[in-house]
Each structure stands twice: as structure tokens, then as C-alpha cells.
Amino acid sequence: MIARKYENKVIFDYPLKKFREDRYSKDVEVIESDLEPLDRAIQAIVLSQYKRKLFAEIKQNVNPVVLLKSETLSANKKIFEDFKVAVSSLNATEIERVKKRAKGDLKAAFDYFELHSITIDNLILELKGDFDEEHLLIVDGNNIDSRKQQLLNSLEDPANSVRAIFAVDMLNEGWDVLNLYDIVRLYDKRDAGKNKPGKTTMREAQLIGRGARYMPFEDPNKLTSGRDKRKYDGDASNPLRVIEKLHYHSANNPRYIQELHIALVQTGILPDTKKQLELCLKDEFKKSRLYKKGVVFVNERESLVRAENDGTIGRTISNKVFKVKMLTGKMRTDRIFNDDLPGEILSNIEIGIKLRELGPHVLRAALNSFSTYNFDSLKALYPQLKSCKEFVESDKYLAGIPVSVDGDKGSIGEYSQEDKYYIAKSVLMEMEPILRKRGQSYRGTKVFKPADFRKMFRDRIVLNVAVSSSEAREFGESMKTPKNPDYALDLSAAEWYAYDDNFGTSEEKALVKYIEGKMEDFRKKYDEIYLVRNEKDVKIYDFAEGRAFEPDYLLFLRVKGDTEKFKNMQLFIEPKGAHLQEQDRWKNDFLKQMKSAANVSLCTATDDFEIWGIPFFNESDNREFDDYVMENVLEYPSTPD
């Protein structure tokens, strides 16, 4: 009986470790300090305030919450009272003491305040306001009521102003919150035994696991599509990396931290090992003409409103025939079992009209039934529009739109005013999502503008890699010592490779080996050859929809002509595994379009420039990429056209 009940049920094993590896959690970072508990709390609220400002910069109304965890009820009440006094009497000396010891993300917070002209005094005023008693919540077994319970359960609501929670153990079970960003451990206790984390440490690890749930937010640069995943694991220098972390503030107790790390690994919250990788532009490359005087060409993203601001309703609408089926009220009966006696045959009449034939008063009445079509909304979509009257009566807007009416009348004049109103409303209803999309749609410009190479590419790139993930292990391998000897290459000796190493995927390593194998042919054509790894430094936008794209590599080539006129080529290259080619097909299409579509906005007396994209590189099926390189890049004319 039990077997029958559950035989059609599907059970998925999705452990926390896999959840974290798939980037659905915050990253966890422990901040150790030998500060007193109250000073650790002040350190945490400074970091919390920094996170709040980062969310505000990307227009996210998020209040980061700090959890201050005590060991006993009496300690919890005492730290609550001490914290209120400390915040209300906060002074510059105390903040300077925290600043002086700051490292990592806490130092980044103070750097941010300085960069944005937020003085210590300004910061103190903010902290006093945001962490006064009104925004604090103390909860324990003897101190909980329905109001507090409601506040605890709605912390993610922007209207909930709680910034700090003081608790003992009651939040360990059945409580998690997306906007928990800092946990302060206010005691220093260990209960390990036989080299294993004790019950207290395991409970703390479980609490961290609940707090590590990810707060969804959009990448402001639209470079990644996932709201619900960490986006900046490979970009340690990105300031938004901080709001993808849960910070655990603890006393400086190496044995406890080691035990906590073991507990976090066991529960799947942390990878087994992390390592930090560093890429640097070679000193020799920094002496090159490309680095000192060279340019990188990039395009921009423009809204469809701006792109099609030509005083018309737009091609998407004007080229569409809107179809309206009228309700005639007729009925038909069919003889199911007698083929010799067919039922009544109904015949409809289809007529083609322009919207103007419905009459301006009908169109205006239909417009008034939609909030989308008020003048302010229309003006935002069509900046050249002068009035609603123009929108209704001009052939450039509504009046000229073609409509096919399927009904029982032979001409539009035979339809009643009520029918005409129905036709108009039907067309406007179908048009509404097109207008909404127009307001939210973009396209990449075909003009590529120059930017200084030195300003676009960083001299030093820091990458964080989780070693427990097989894909991350592969990504973290140097090309000097990869596990696959086929990819081995000492890039420090390759003058054509700008950075000192490559920690990319196997496809990326295979691409670099491919370029190395063609280097003799390249040198026959080009005086300058530089392959540059793009770690989120350069982004371009596809022509069709303005989607952001960061090709993994840029290849810069320069050939000198007979007339002292230099031809410069910038090629975008993207290695792509077979399993990703279909979902990223738009990128491949974009790369193929560049050569004929890209318009370079710079030409000097001594230099011409061309922008090309090469079809995807794939190690196992590389014919299209190789043919393009052989037939185009390596057969490029060495003299000016």
C-alpha cells in the first residue's frame, strides 16, 4: 500500500553542498579579531552600512540585517543594553579604532566612504539613526511576543526597518532570512572533542547555513541573467561581491575557527579549499605600443525608443496586420452521423481597413480605457509626439495601422459604433505588450568607439576559486602545470600573450594552444600580435537586443602597408563548450555579424582599424573557427585597400 502511494513520486537529492556549488547561496567569510564583543558589534554594523549603500547604488531597497548571538539570556540582555548606549554615544575615536585595524571587505567599506565623501562624522550620524533602539530587536525564550514574531518573519520586507537582532538559541531552528548579512558571535567557547566539532559549533554552522541563503538581485550591467545566483565568484575586485557574502564575526581563536571550518565543510556551506589566483600584465607587454598608445573599440547599448525616434509608431507595429474576429451571434448545427445531410454552413467576411476608418472619437474613447495610452506614457515612448490628437489622427501613428476584421459585414460602415469601439479596443489590447517591450528593449549600436587600452584592461586581476568543485579545479589550473599535458604552455615566455598565465577552462586553454600553433603563420602577416584575456574588463552589446557580452579574448593584430599606413585589427574570440553553444547562439550570431556591420569611428593619417568577431572556438568541432582564421585572418591583405 505504501509502495503504491509513493510509486509516482519523484525525489531529488539536492544537498546543501550542491546548492552552494550551483551558486544559490551567499559565500561565507569569517572575520577574526581580538576586539571586545561590543567592538566586534560596531565593526559589523559599519560593514552592514556599507552593504546597504551598495544595494542602494543598484536601486535595490534592501536593509541588511545583523544578528548578534549571545550564549545566555542574561548575556543577551546585557549586550542589548550596552549596544544601545554604545551606538548613542558613538564617537570618531571608536570608528577610527575600527578603521585602523580594517582589512579585506571592512577596509573596502572605509575606502568606499572616503571615495564618496562620507566623513567619519557623517557615518556616525547614519549609524546612530539606523541602529537606534527603534531598529533593534531582542528575542529569547522569555522575551518574544506576536509583534516580535511578525517582525522576525518579515525581515525581507522593505517596510521592515529592523537592522539588528539580539538572540541566543531560539533562532537556530526553522528560521532563515535572505537579508541576513552579518552574524556576530559574542562569546568565545569551544566544545570540540576527539578532533571533531562539538554540538555548539555544529549548531553555529547550521545557523550560518540558514543565513547564507542568497538575496536575489539583478546585475546592474546586465552581464548575467540569473537573479538568484552568485554572479561575481570569478571577479574578486567587483565591489558587489560584498553583497554576495555572509560575514561571520568571531574572536581570534584559531582552534575554534578550524573547528568551525570543518563544520561548515561537513554541512556543505564551504568548499573544501579555496585559493586565490592572480593574473598580471607582463612588464614587457606594458612597454608595447598597444599598451601605451593603443585603443580598444567597444559599442554601446541604446534603448529602442532612442534608436527608433523617427516620429513614427515604429516598424514592429506599422508592419503588423492586427486581426480582429467579431462576435456575430450566429449558431451552427452539424449532422454527426449523416454525411448526406450537412448542417448549416456559416460564412464570414474578412475586410481590411485602417484604424482611421473607425473615427477619431472611437479611437480616443478606446485609448481612455487603458492607462498605458495616457500622454505621459506615450511621450516617454515617442519623444517627438506632440499630442494625443496626433497619436490618434496621424498616419505615422494609430491612423495608418492596418486591421483585418473577420465578421459578417461587407464594409466597416455597416458596423455599429459599439462594434467599432470593440475593434479599436481589441487592436490596442494586442498592441499594449509591444509598446511595453519597446520601452524596455535595447539594441547594440553598430558604431564602435575607441577607449584607451590602459583604462580598459587591469594590470592585476584577482580570482577566487573553490577547489572542491571539479569545474573550479579545472579553471584554477595554470597552463604551466595543467593536469592535461596537451594544454601545457609557459605563457610567461610567450611575448604574444599579454598576461603572465591563463587559469581558464579546458576550452580556453585549447584556444591558447591553437593560437600558439598558428603563431608562425601570424608572424608572416602581422608585426604586432597580442592575445589578451578579458576578465570582465570589456563588454559589448549585440545588435539585435542589446544583450551584454564579454568575449573571453581579444586578439590585436597590426600589419604595416607599403605607404606607411598601418592596418589594425581587433578580433573578439569566445571559446565555447558544446553544451553551451545552443543557449549562447545569439553570441555566435553577433560575432559573425561584426565584420560587415561594425562601423569604426576612428581613422587617422597613419592608422586604419577593423573590428571582427570570429565564430565560436570549440576544441572538438573547430572547423568553422579554423576556416575563418585561415581564409580571413591569415589571408588578410597586407596593403591598404
Side-chain angles (χ1 to χ4, degrees):
M1 181 177 176
I2 294 176
R4 286 198 304 273
K5 180 178 179 180
Y6 291 102
E7 65 181 355
N8 63 339
K9 303 294 188 295
V10 178
I11 299 174
F12 292 95
D13 182 18
Y14 195 59
L16 186 57
K17 178 180 178 180
K18 187 69 169 62
F19 185 78
R20 187 253 311 150
E21 287 183 355
D22 289 342
R23 308 196 310 279
Y24 287 113
S25 69
K26 301 185 188 84
D27 212 353
V28 176
E29 190 166 288
V30 178
I31 298 180
E32 303 172 64
S33 65
D34 54 8
L35 297 172
E36 292 298 318
L38 194 57
D39 288 333
R40 288 205 298 274
I42 299 300
Q43 172 183 274
I45 67 173
V46 169
L47 190 53
S48 179
Q49 200 68 358
Y50 172 46
K51 293 171 184 176
R52 184 178 188 181
K53 290 183 179 299
L54 290 176
F55 272 120
E57 274 198 0
I58 60 172
K59 299 180 173 56
Q60 298 287 315
N61 189 9
V62 175
N63 284 322
V65 171
V66 179
L67 173 63
L68 299 103
K69 193 171 186 300
S70 296
E71 186 179 12
T72 65
L73 297 180
S74 59
N76 193 40
K77 292 175 182 177
K78 184 176 188 308
I79 194 68
F80 177 71
E81 296 299 330
D82 290 348
F83 182 87
K84 288 191 297 182
V85 173
V87 169
S88 64
S89 59
L90 202 57
N91 59 56
T93 301
E94 292 168 322
I95 297 296
E96 288 288 357
R97 187 168 65 247
V98 174
K99 180 180 179 181
K100 185 177 180 179
R101 305 167 65 95
K103 295 180 180 179
D105 291 333
L106 190 59
K107 182 180 183 302
F110 283 106
D111 291 343
Y112 176 93
F113 299 146
E114 185 174 342
L115 180 64
H116 291 78
S117 301
I118 300 170
T119 66
I120 296 296
D121 289 340
N122 294 147
L123 178 61
I124 289 171
L125 287 174
E126 288 187 19
L127 295 176
K128 286 183 175 181
D130 282 17
F131 290 90
D132 68 0
E133 186 172 3
E134 181 184 354
H135 304 303
L136 309 180
L137 193 62
I138 180 169
V139 291
D140 56 51
N142 299 327
N143 197 343
I144 189 73
D145 54 33
S146 59
R147 184 189 71 85
K148 289 185 177 181
Q149 195 67 55
Q150 184 178 4
L151 288 172
L152 278 176
N153 293 334
S154 63
L155 285 169
E156 296 155 17
D157 186 340
N160 189 325
S161 63
V162 171
R163 291 295 304 279
I165 300 169
F166 297 76
V168 186
D169 281 333
M170 69 171 299
L171 300 181
N172 280 352
E173 298 295 337
W175 182 80
D176 56 5
V177 58
L178 301 184
N179 58 330
L180 176 61
Y181 274 92
D182 293 87
I183 299 176
V184 185
R185 188 179 193 254
L186 295 167
Y187 49 94
D188 191 13
K189 175 184 176 181
R190 294 178 53 244
D191 59 356
K194 298 180 181 180
N195 297 319
K196 293 183 179 180
K199 291 182 179 179
T200 299
T201 307
M202 290 303 297
R203 283 200 301 269
E204 289 163 353
Q206 291 163 359
L207 173 63
I208 291 171
R210 281 185 284 276
R213 286 181 59 200
Y214 191 77
M215 168 60 77
F217 66 91
E218 294 282 359
D219 176 16
N221 294 316
K222 307 296 183 184
L223 297 176
T224 57
S225 57
R227 281 177 45 84
D228 304 322
K229 290 186 176 185
R230 295 193 307 275
K231 305 162 182 62
Y232 309 111
D233 282 11
D235 188 8
S237 62
N238 194 312
L240 296 182
R241 181 83 177 97
V242 177
I243 56 175
E244 294 192 324
K245 293 181 184 179
L246 171 71
H247 288 92
Y248 188 76
H249 303 258
S250 170
N252 185 12
N253 185 333
R255 294 190 66 181
Y256 166 74
I257 296 301
Q258 182 182 13
E259 293 156 10
L260 179 64
H261 182 270
I262 293 171
L264 291 172
V265 170
Q266 288 178 357
T267 53
I269 301 164
L270 282 184
D272 300 340
T273 311
K274 276 188 174 182
K275 62 180 176 181
Q276 195 171 77
L277 307 173
E278 183 175 282
L279 293 174
C280 296
L281 286 175
K282 297 172 185 169
D283 291 337
E284 282 302 309
F285 174 73
K286 288 196 272 188
K287 298 175 184 177
S288 69
R289 180 205 61 83
L290 176 62
Y291 181 78
K292 290 181 175 180
K293 299 181 180 179
V295 293
V296 182
F297 287 90
V298 292
N299 68 338
E300 298 175 345
R301 187 179 71 162
E302 62 180 356
S303 70
L304 205 60
V305 171
R306 175 183 164 193
E308 293 189 353
N309 184 21
D310 57 359
T312 71
I313 201 165
R315 292 188 297 273
T316 304
I317 294 176
S318 61
N319 292 339
K320 178 180 176 64
V321 177
F322 292 84
K323 296 187 176 182
V324 179
K325 187 172 182 64
M326 302 300 294
L327 304 176
T328 63
K330 291 183 179 179
M331 298 176 62
R332 179 174 69 183
T333 58
D334 285 321
R335 306 291 182 88
I336 297 176
F337 297 109
N338 193 337
D339 294 338
D340 296 331
L341 297 171
E344 178 189 1
I345 298 176
L346 299 181
S347 59
N348 276 15
I349 302 170
E350 191 170 317
I351 59 173
I353 65 166
K354 300 287 188 181
L355 270 186
R356 77 170 80 85
E357 297 176 51
L358 300 178
H361 55 292
V362 172
L363 291 176
R364 187 175 289 277
L367 282 178
N368 290 338
S369 64
F370 296 89
S371 60
T372 311
Y373 294 99
N374 65 64
F375 181 69
D376 288 342
S377 299
L378 292 173
K379 183 70 173 177
L381 295 174
Y382 301 104
Q384 293 191 33
L385 185 66
K386 297 181 179 61
S387 64
C388 279
K389 177 180 171 65
E390 181 185 17
F391 188 72
V392 168
E393 298 183 12
S394 171
D395 279 353
K396 293 181 179 180
Y397 292 101
L398 281 189
I401 290 176
V403 183
S404 174
V405 181
D406 185 359
D408 58 357
K409 303 290 192 293
S411 70
I412 194 64
E414 297 179 42
Y415 284 106
S416 67
Q417 293 294 91
E418 185 179 354
D419 290 335
K420 292 177 182 179
Y421 178 70
Y422 173 81
I423 294 169
K425 279 194 66 174
S426 298
V427 172
L428 292 175
M429 187 177 297
E430 188 177 350
M431 190 187 302
E432 193 174 26
I434 303 175
L435 288 181
R436 192 179 302 116
K437 184 177 180 181
R438 174 186 173 87
Q440 300 169 348
S441 297
Y442 299 87
R443 72 182 186 188
T445 62
K446 293 185 177 179
V447 173
F448 280 68
K449 297 179 180 179
D452 290 345
F453 184 99
R454 295 177 66 171
K455 292 181 179 179
M456 295 295 286
F457 286 98
R458 289 166 287 171
D459 288 3
R460 177 176 174 269
I461 299 169
V462 179
L463 306 170
N464 285 321
V465 178
V467 179
S468 61
S469 163
S470 59
E471 183 177 352
R473 279 199 299 271
E474 175 195 299
F475 185 87
E477 293 174 7
S478 166
M479 285 197 73
K480 295 178 183 179
T481 55
K483 289 185 178 178
N484 187 340
D486 293 340
Y487 301 142
L489 182 64
D490 185 359
L491 289 172
S492 63
E495 75 283 356
W496 50 269
Y497 195 82
Y499 285 98
D500 55 4
D501 209 338
N502 175 22
F503 299 106
T505 64
S506 58
E507 289 291 347
E508 293 166 18
K509 292 180 174 69
L511 167 73
V512 176
K513 285 288 287 186
Y514 173 92
I515 298 293
E516 191 260 347
K518 298 288 185 185
M519 195 49 57
E520 185 177 342
D521 294 327
F522 275 108
R523 289 188 176 119
K524 292 176 184 178
K525 284 283 181 183
Y526 302 102
D527 291 337
E528 291 184 10
I529 307 159
Y530 291 111
L531 183 65
V532 184
R533 181 75 168 91
N534 179 29
E535 283 288 349
K536 300 184 181 297
D537 290 315
V538 173
K539 62 175 174 286
I540 51 180
Y541 302 93
D542 80 304
F543 302 134
E545 297 183 30
R547 290 164 290 193
F549 177 26
E550 296 172 334
D552 287 333
Y553 291 91
L554 280 78
L555 180 62
F556 294 89
L557 304 170
R558 195 182 208 214
V559 57
K560 185 176 180 181
D562 295 336
T563 60
E564 298 298 317
K565 183 82 167 180
F566 290 88
K567 280 189 174 292
N568 300 268
M569 298 170 61
Q570 175 182 310
L571 284 68
F572 292 104
I573 303 176
E574 175 83 353
K576 188 66 62 178
H579 64 295
L580 297 172
Q581 290 194 10
E582 183 59 33
Q583 72 181 54
D584 284 346
R585 180 184 291 184
W586 67 269
K587 296 181 180 178
N588 205 23
D589 293 340
F590 181 31
L591 291 169
K592 293 177 183 180
Q593 294 163 2
M594 280 188 195
K595 183 179 177 183
S596 60
N599 180 9
V600 177
S601 65
L602 177 67
C603 181
T604 70
T606 57
D607 290 282
D608 284 331
F609 298 89
E610 292 194 32
I611 310 299
W612 293 6
I614 304 181
F616 282 163
F617 173 90
N618 179 264
E619 184 181 14
S620 60
D621 183 9
N622 201 34
R623 182 178 302 174
E624 186 177 17
F625 181 92
D626 187 59
D627 287 349
Y628 193 96
V629 171
M630 297 299 294
E631 296 171 9
N632 293 276
V633 182
L634 295 179
E635 292 298 324
Y636 187 76
S638 58
T639 57
D641 293 335

